[in-house]
Amino acid sequence: MQYTFQNAKVYAGGKFKDKCFHFSDATADGRRVFSREYVVFPGFCDVHVHFREPGFSYKETIATGCRSAARGGYTDVCPMPNLDPVPDTAAHLAEELSIIARDATIGVHPYAAITLEEKGETLVDMPALAPAVCGFSDDGRGVQSEQMMRAAMIQAKKLGKLIAAHCEVNELLRGGYIHDGEYARAHGHKGICSESEWKQIQRDIALSRETGCAYHVCHISTKESVDLIRRAKAEGVNITCETGPHYLVFCDEDLQEDGRFKMNPPLRTPEDRAALIQGIVDGTIDMISTDHAPHSVEEKARGLEKSAMGVVGLETAFAAVYTHLVKPGVITLERAVDIFSNNARSRFGLPVGEDFTVWDLDAAYTVDPAEFLSMGKATPFAETELFGRCVMTVHDGKIVYLDEEALT
């Protein structure tokens, strides 16, 4: 089948150009021609997702995660290692790779853990794991020992691999589960202070400067984190970072007594949100990652205090950023391509290829999690209006997502 988009804006050479765009797949002969305006992006890349397999397939699987990602325009993702078993040895990693080889419909590039069982006590055999992974991370847990993180960075530097860090000082958490701000105090909740995040980033910046390790900071949420990373980049430290769409749109003033507003790090203050947006604008923040973290309905139905940490995001991420940053003119569509695709691929050494995703940016809709292809349904974007609908995603020459109803 040949698909022809007569009025397309196609990203090429760093710019969008008006042209007629053709794609032929391996299905039956025929031709479909579309006259409405569509935008053709390079396939998106998310370096921070949780596909829950092996070990937690009741939350998500490689297969369902890939379908969810493709619906969001993603053709490459990097799943985190908080699995069972943790990919901390060659044998454990082989279990995950076997499922990926069997079920993945897009590019899936796993992390290995930094420490055995992500306990922060014993460094994994990094040389044995390095050839098969995109980087090393103990995501979900901050590496508490400075000595351990230094050793990991030295090894990663030798191997040419990234350390991707979930930054959290355990002794500063004090049982918190939402931001330590006005909402927490007004509603009797235990708060997580901003220092618990930025203090460990500060430590790791010094270690990256010392070792020369390529260091990537996961899901930053505070204004102090943005400032530290901005200054580190100016000094020449080998550092990149990401934030999530929810931190750019929501803050702790938007909290409700609902598990779909609970994630780690938490939604912070309006001032933090403004600093994150400025970080996107000026390039301090390199990429958008969803931290797509599906849980069962039961695990997310226990309110702010007792629900599991984590929300899903692959199917709303680009539309959220387009609606709240691109459409109002805060960033350009070209900058959106950088933060959703180019920068992640460059930093993590992931393939560019010929993958692409086609979007109708004029489509407006109300987010209904029941329609998600992910097994996870908890999102702060539920019942909000977004613009931008993915109509086709192509990976390795194959259509991995197609919205027949939206194509007109």
Side-chain angles (χ1 to χ4, degrees), residues 30 98 108 126 135 222 247 265 302 312 318 337:
S98 176
V108 178
M126 295 176 77
T222 75
Y247 302 117
R302 302 167 185 163
V312 296
F318 182 80
V337 174

Side-chain angles (χ1 to χ4, degrees), residues 245-267:
H246 39 284
Y247 302 117
L248 300 170
V249 176
F250 301 102
C251 65
D252 66 341
E253 292 180 354
D254 300 306
L255 287 173
Q256 299 176 27
E257 295 297 314
D258 191 316
R260 67 189 178 94
F261 289 92
K262 186 178 182 182
M263 72 288 294
N264 190 22
L267 298 173

Side-chain angles (χ1 to χ4, degrees), residues 9-222:
K9 290 184 179 297
V10 182
Y11 183 83
K15 296 181 180 179
F16 282 94
K17 301 176 181 178
D18 294 324
K19 61 185 295 186
C20 184
F21 181 78
H22 303 279
F23 167 71
S24 296
D25 69 357
T27 59
D29 292 340
R31 185 183 183 194
R32 297 186 65 184
V33 180
F34 308 103
S35 58
R36 290 181 56 193
E37 184 176 285
Y38 291 96
V39 180
V40 182
F41 298 96
F44 300 151
C45 179
D46 192 335
V47 299
H48 190 149
V49 302
H50 299 267
F51 279 2
R52 306 302 194 194
E53 203 173 23
F56 306 97
S57 57
Y58 71 94
K59 299 174 187 275
E60 189 82 289
T61 66
I62 296 295
T64 60
C66 285
R67 288 197 289 270
S68 174
R71 189 186 186 213
Y74 292 90
T75 57
D76 288 280
V77 295
C78 301
M80 286 295 179
N82 48 347
L83 303 168
D84 185 13
V86 173
D88 55 3
T89 66
H92 289 166
L93 177 61
E95 292 188 41
E96 183 181 5
L97 292 173
S98 176
I99 301 170
I100 291 170
R102 184 190 70 203
D103 294 340
T105 52
I106 63 171
V108 178
H109 315 275
Y111 288 90
I114 295 172
T115 63
L116 290 178
E117 298 183 44
E118 293 191 311
K119 290 184 176 179
E121 298 171 355
T122 305
L123 197 65
V124 301
D125 184 351
M126 295 176 77
L129 295 164
V133 299
C134 68
F136 293 88
S137 181
D138 272 5
D139 185 64
R141 304 180 184 184
V143 176
Q144 301 305 300
S145 165
E146 180 176 339
Q147 181 180 359
M148 182 63 65
M149 184 56 97
R150 178 183 288 107
M153 285 191 175
I154 290 171
Q155 279 280 350
K157 169 67 174 176
K158 290 179 180 178
L159 296 166
K161 287 292 181 179
L162 280 157
I163 293 289
H166 172 111
C167 290
E168 197 167 51
V169 179
N170 287 352
E171 65 183 18
L172 295 176
L173 297 179
R174 305 184 183 100
Y177 45 86
I178 63 171
H179 176 63
D180 185 18
E182 292 184 10
Y183 186 95
R185 289 187 286 273
H187 295 83
H189 290 298
K190 294 181 179 179
I192 301 175
C193 67
S194 296
E195 187 180 9
S196 65
E197 174 180 300
W198 65 257
K199 195 72 174 178
Q200 197 163 92
I201 294 174
Q202 185 179 58
R203 180 203 71 180
D204 287 354
I205 286 172
L207 292 175
S208 179
R209 184 186 297 113
E210 173 190 332
T211 62
C213 173
Y215 174 61
H216 179 76
V217 192
C218 296
H219 48 43
I220 66 169
S221 67
T222 75

Side-chain angles (χ1 to χ4, degrees), residues 353-374:
E354 300 297 324
D355 292 355
F356 65 89
T357 180
V358 182
W359 285 69
D360 177 358
L361 295 183
D362 292 326
Y365 57 96
T366 300
V367 175
D368 180 1
E371 297 178 352
F372 287 172
L373 298 184
S374 171

